[in-house]
Amino acid sequence: MTSQSQGIQQLLQAEKRAKDKLEEAKKRKGKRLKQAKEEAIAEIDHYRLQREKEFRNKQTNVMGSQGNLSAKIEEQTAETVRNLTSSYHKNMESMMKKLLSTICDINPEVHPNFRHAV
């Protein structure tokens, strides 16, 4: 009977060791999953930062060229306004004389299609 109780004790101890190993394996698995998740998050963050940096560079290139275009357009507009203002001041006097002469100098004459009633 003692051999049976020793056998049972050995089985119980073996079962306890197996249970302990199983729990330890579950803990290792949980720890590894947690570590893998952290590594994945770190990799995702790194990738996201890299892509955001590339996006900002592209955006800067596009917006920078648009900024240059905007500055060029402003410069051209200012030049056009200066030219128009200069032309206005140069031609204003002669145009005013032409307009006033056309309006004020009236030469009354009979229309060629007018028939005098007899």
Side-chain angles (χ1 to χ4, degrees):
M1 186 119 134
T2 57
S3 68
Q4 274 188 340
S5 67
Q6 282 181 346
I8 293 174
Q9 286 296 330
Q10 287 177 345
L11 284 174
L12 289 174
Q13 286 175 354
E15 187 179 334
K16 185 176 186 236
R17 284 192 306 265
K19 187 177 179 182
D20 290 341
K21 284 186 177 184
L22 186 62
E23 286 179 21
E24 186 179 323
K26 284 182 181 180
K27 286 180 184 178
R28 280 196 314 260
K29 181 182 175 185
K31 190 183 279 187
R32 180 62 188 130
L33 284 174
K34 186 177 179 182
Q35 183 182 7
K37 185 177 179 181
E38 289 172 356
E39 289 173 0
I41 290 172
E43 188 175 336
I44 289 169
D45 288 342
H46 176 66
Y47 180 75
R48 180 181 293 130
L49 290 174
Q50 180 183 0
R51 296 299 286 177
E52 285 177 0
K53 184 178 178 183
E54 290 174 12
F55 174 74
R56 277 190 238 108
N57 288 338
K58 287 181 181 180
Q59 187 178 26
T60 302
N61 291 340
V62 170
M63 296 305 276
S65 65
Q66 286 181 353
N68 293 342
L69 290 176
S70 176
K72 287 180 183 178
I73 290 170
E74 289 291 329
E75 184 179 320
Q76 289 174 351
T77 303
E79 181 65 29
T80 304
V81 168
R82 282 193 298 274
N83 290 340
L84 288 174
T85 304
S86 170
S87 176
Y88 166 77
H89 288 299
K90 185 169 64 174
N91 297 322
M92 180 181 70
E93 186 78 27
S94 64
M95 281 306 296
M96 289 302 282
K97 286 181 182 177
K98 284 182 183 178
L99 282 173
L100 287 175
S101 69
T102 303
I103 293 171
C104 295
D105 296 339
I106 300 173
N107 293 328
E109 50 186 60
V110 177
H111 196 274
N113 291 340
F114 179 72
R115 289 189 188 167
H116 198 72
V118 186

